[in-house]
Amino acid sequence: MAHLLLQSVWLIPCYSLLGAALSALWFPGITRRTGPRPAGYVNAIMTFLSFVHAAIALTATWNQPARQILIPWLQVAGLDLTIPIEISSLTVGVIVVVTGLNLLAQIFAIGYMEMDWGWGRLYSLMAVFEAGMTALALCNSLFFSYIILEILTLGTYLIVGIWFNQSLVVTGARDAFLTKRIGDLFLLMGVIALLPITGTWNFSELAEWAKTAEVDQGVITLIGLALIAGPMGKCAQFPLHLWLDEAMEGPVPASILRNSVVVATGAWVLVKLEPVLSLSPVVLSTMMVIGSISAIGGSLIALAQIDIKRAFSYLVTAYMGIVFIAISAQQTEAALLIVLTHALSMALMMMSSGAVVWNSITQDVTQLGGLWARRPVSGLALVVATLGLIALPPFGSFWSMLKLADGLQESGHPWLVGVLLIVNALTAFGLTRVFSLVFGGKPKQMSERSPEVHWPMALPMIILSAFTLHLPLILQALSLLPDWASLNKDMALLLTWSSLFGCGLSAAIYLGNYIQKPVQFPIKALQDLVAYDFYTPKLYRNTVVLGVAIISQLTSWIDKYLVDGVVNLFGLATLFSGQSLKYSTSGQSQFYALTILIGVTVLGVFLCWSSLSHMVLVMTASLSHQQFLG
Amino acid sequence: MQLQYFLLLAAALFCIGIYGLITSRNAVRVLMSIEIMLNAVNLNLMAFSNYLDPQTIKGQIFTIFVITIAAAEAAVGLAIVLAIYRNRDTVDMEQFNLLKW
C-alpha cells in the first residue's frame, strides 16, 4: 500500500489541480443560487487527500535511497526536455509540510472568508499554489523549476489581486508580479546560459558536474549572479522586497501560505543550485551580503511597523535573508531546517494576526491592546509562534539557528554569527513588541469588545501550535538534533541570551510604564526611515520606474512622430501633389492645345536630337569655313 | 523655286495658325486659325505632289479632301460656337473654363 502510494507520489500536484479546476464550478457567474462554499470544502478535501498520500508515502520512503522517475515532455533536435522527478524522503517530506500547511490555511480560510463570496477564486488559487509547490519539490530540473516559479508568479498576481476593487490591492498585485518577474527573467538568463556549459538542467547532474567543473571564473560568476537574482525576487530579498509588504493587501489565508512556504520556493531552488553557486566565490559573497542586509534591514523595519501584517511580513524577508546566508556558507542542511522551522512559526503567526484582525477590524497595533484576557487562543498562538521563530531552547528555530551558527563559525565567517545574533535579538524585540501592543496593556477603543474567533479559525491555530511545540521532538525522532556532547554550548548560550535580551527589553519598554506610548525614537528621521521601509517605493520610483518611464515615453514619441511621421509624409506628399497638380487641368481648351504642342515639340527634339546636334555642328563648321575664306 | 521654300512658307503659316489657335480670345478667330493651319497643310501637300509626285499627283487629291472636310468642320465648328453663344451670350474663350479640376 505504502509502496504503491510512493510510486504514485507524482499524482499529488494533480489532486490540487483537480481541486482548482473543480472550484471553477462555484464561481458566482456559474453557480448563481447556492453560494461558493463547496469550492472550499472540495479543495480542503483534495488537500487532505494529498496530505494523507504524502504522509503515508513518507513512511515508505524513509531510509530508502532517492529514486528518479522520468516523464517525457518534449524532444526536439538536440534538446531533451524530459521531466525528472526525484522521490526521496526530503522531497516527500517537503510535500507533507506544504500540503499540511495548505490544509490548515484552507480550514482557516473557511472561517476567515465567511462573509465573502469569492471562495471559488481564492481556493482555486490556493490549490494552484499547492500544486506548484509540490511539483517544485518533486521536480529535479532547473528548467521545470523555472517554469513552476513563473506559474507561481502569475498565481501571486491573481491571489494578491483577489479583492480587485481596492486600489491598493491593484498596485500591490502589480508590484508583486513585476518585481518577481524581473527576478525570474534574470533567472531565465542564468538557466539558458548554464545549458551550453553543463549540458544538463538536472539538479543531480549539475551537482555532479560542479564537482569537477573547470570554467571561466567570469562566466560562472555572471551565471551565478543571474541564478540568485530569481530567488532574490522570490524570497523578497533587498532590494526586491517591496512586493511582500504590498502583498499583505491580499487575504490572510493567502498570506499564511505565502509567508510560510511560497517565499521559500526561491530558497528551495537556491539550495538545489548550491553546488553550481559555490563555484564562484563572488556569487557566494554577494549572497552573503544580500542575505545580511535583508536580515538586518527586514528585522529593523519590522520594529517600526504599526500594521500587524506588515510587522510580520518583514520578518519573512529577514529569515529568508538568513537562509541566503546559510546557503552562501554552504550550510544547505541548516538552510532547509530554517525554512522548515520558519514555515511553521510564520504560518502560526499569520494565523494569529488574521484571527486578531478578523474580530478587531483594525490592523493598526497602536489601536489594539489588552486582548490577552479575552483572546487566549490567539495570544497563545502568537506566543508559541514567537518562541518557535526566535532562537530559544528547546523550540525548533533554536536548533536550526544553532546548526547554522555552528556551521558559520566552522566555515570561518564569525561576523555572520554576529549578524545572526543581531537579527535574532531584533526579531525577538519586534515580536514581543507586537505581542505587548496587541495582547498587553489596556484595551483600546477598537479592541474593547473582541470575542475569540470561531472554530474554523481556532482549530488550525491550535493544531499548528501543537506542531510548532512538537517540532523539536519530531526533529529528535528524525535524529536531526545534535546530541548533548557535541552541542556548542557557547553558541547556544549566545543565541539564547540574544533572544532573552530582545524579548526582555521589548517587554520592559512596551509592557512597563516607564516610557510614554507611542514610543518616540530620539532621532525622528531614523524612526521614519525604517517605518517607511527605507523609502523603497520612492527609490523604485526615482530609479528603475523613472528610467523605464522616460525611455518608454521617448520610444513612444519616436514611434508616434518619427516612424509614423515618415510614413505619413509619403501619404501627405501624394495628397499634396494630387491637390496641386490638378490645377494643370485648367479648363481652357487653348491651354490643352498648348500642352499638346509642347509635348510634340519636346518629343520631336528628343527624337531628332542626334541629327539636330549634327546639323548644328555642320552649320557652325561651314560658317567658320566661310569666315576663314572670306 | 525650290521645294524647301514652299515647305518653309507652309511651316511659317502653320506656326502662325498655332499662335492664333492658342492666343485668340474670340472663338471664331480660333476657327480661323484652324483654317490657316489646314491651308498650311494643303500648301505642303501641293508642294510635295508638284515636286515629288508630278505623275500621279496624289497630293492634290488629298488637298481636295482636306478642303472639303475643312469646310464641313468649319460649319460644325461655327454651329458649336453658335450653340455656346446662345447659352452664355459670349464667344470669349476665357469664359469657357467650366470643365476644370
Side-chain angles (χ1 to χ4, degrees), chain B residues 17-52:
Chain B
I18 282 179
Y19 179 76
L21 174 74
I22 291 170
T23 55
S24 309
R25 290 186 64 179
N26 193 320
V28 180
R29 274 177 69 174
V30 173
L31 289 180
M32 287 163 66
S33 305
I34 292 173
E35 290 302 317
I36 293 177
M37 286 160 68
L38 286 168
N39 283 336
V41 170
N42 286 344
L43 203 55
N44 260 3
L45 287 171
M46 291 299 287
F48 279 125
S49 87
N50 257 11
Y51 285 91
L52 302 182

Side-chain angles (χ1 to χ4, degrees), chain A residues 582-594 597, chain B residues 18 21-25 30 93-94 96-97 99-101:
Chain A
K582 73 181 178 189
Y583 296 110
S584 59
T585 310
S586 62
Q588 297 278 357
S589 45
Q590 287 171 302
F591 178 74
Y592 303 157
L594 180 66
L597 183 74
Chain B
I18 282 179
L21 174 74
I22 291 170
T23 55
S24 309
R25 290 186 64 179
V30 173
M93 286 297 277
E94 291 187 2
F96 305 152
N97 60 353
L99 291 176
K100 59 185 175 190
W101 55 86

Side-chain angles (χ1 to χ4, degrees), chain A residues 488-512:
Chain A
N488 187 341
K489 294 186 185 66
D490 296 340
M491 198 59 79
L493 274 177
L494 271 177
L495 281 170
T496 314
W497 276 118
S498 75
S499 305
L500 287 176
F501 172 71
C503 289
L505 188 63
S506 178
I509 290 176
Y510 288 98
L511 289 179

